Amino acid sequence: HAIRPGQRLELAAELDTVEADAASYGGSVLVDGVLAIRLTHCVGPMLVVTDFDDPDALRARFGVLCNGGATPGGFAGIPEFPLERTGGEAGQRIAATLQVPTQANFFADHFPRRPVFAGTLLMNASLDLAALLATELSVPACGARWALRSVSDVKLRAFTPPGDVLEIEARLNDLSADAATVKVDIRKGSRVVGGARVRLIPEVGA
């Protein structure tokens, strides 16, 4: 479901369990009353907030979120993070590098005391690479194209600081008339930083 400027988002989060070292949760986003995103079976580590942000500033931002939102026009957008293709095999896999910027406005929010490249931006780059691989796959119907259906097994195993260079690979795992599955792996050198499994389905006229 595409989300456009000016639409109203309804956010919901559900805590399943909270332990000393981690919390399990889910959530959803509705756009003008229509479900756009659903999160299930998520696990996040419990970290010391003062290592990353100012607790009073967090409370103030949460208050803004719960009381009408920020003043329109305050968000200047996110810059593009181009992927540089480094190799692969047509219709089977694509390898690319991602240069994390050394400076960006969003680091002031994520996070003021310890800048970290947001996991959502990292996953977006991974989906871009999976979408590029999808353009090389055959589709079962004339005029159809592969469209994102779901993303599962998302894992972020390490923080990515400004300036890092990451290697991302999208590899075709399975292809049928009904769906295609692409596995994405993210590495920094020999260390696995994260990954995800992307499920695509054919859509006609999309």
Side-chain angles (χ1 to χ4, degrees):
H1 191 290
I3 301 175
R4 298 182 300 275
Q7 290 186 303
R8 181 179 180 83
L9 307 184
E10 299 175 47
L11 311 179
E14 306 92 33
L15 278 174
D16 297 321
T17 62
V18 179
E19 306 293 340
D21 59 345
S24 60
Y25 62 96
S28 62
V29 179
L30 275 68
V31 182
D32 295 332
V34 178
L35 180 67
I37 299 172
R38 183 181 298 282
L39 303 176
T40 60
H41 308 300
C42 302
V43 178
M46 301 292 278
L47 302 171
V48 179
V49 66
T50 52
D51 289 347
F52 295 86
D53 211 331
D54 181 289
D56 291 334
L58 279 176
R59 291 188 189 95
R61 288 199 293 271
F62 185 68
V64 171
L65 179 66
C66 295
N67 291 281
T71 302
F75 177 61
I78 298 293
E80 292 187 5
F81 308 104
L83 295 167
E84 181 179 348
R85 187 166 181 165
T86 57
E89 182 181 349
Q92 293 298 316
R93 72 177 188 92
I94 296 178
T97 58
L98 171 67
Q99 172 67 64
V100 177
T102 56
Q103 294 183 333
N105 290 336
F106 58 77
F107 284 132
D109 291 319
H110 199 277
F111 298 95
R113 294 180 177 175
R114 184 180 176 182
V116 173
F117 192 62
T120 51
L121 298 180
L122 188 52
M123 282 299 108
N124 189 69
S126 300
L127 293 179
D128 284 346
L129 196 63
L132 182 59
L133 180 61
T135 64
E136 301 178 355
L137 306 179
S138 60
V139 288
C142 180
R145 70 175 183 88
W146 292 106
L148 178 66
R149 176 60 178 175
S150 64
V151 183
S152 60
D153 298 331
V154 176
K155 294 181 176 66
L156 297 173
R157 302 177 183 274
F159 291 123
T160 299
D164 268 7
V165 178
L166 302 177
E167 300 165 1
I168 307 178
E169 181 184 75
R171 181 184 295 272
L172 180 66
N173 263 18
D174 185 65
L175 177 64
S176 69
D178 299 322
T181 303
V182 175
K183 180 71 168 59
V184 181
D185 290 308
I186 308 162
R187 290 181 171 84
K188 180 184 177 183
S190 60
R191 183 182 187 186
V192 176
V193 174
R197 189 177 303 275
V198 181
R199 185 169 182 266
L200 309 167
I201 59 172
E203 286 189 354
V204 178

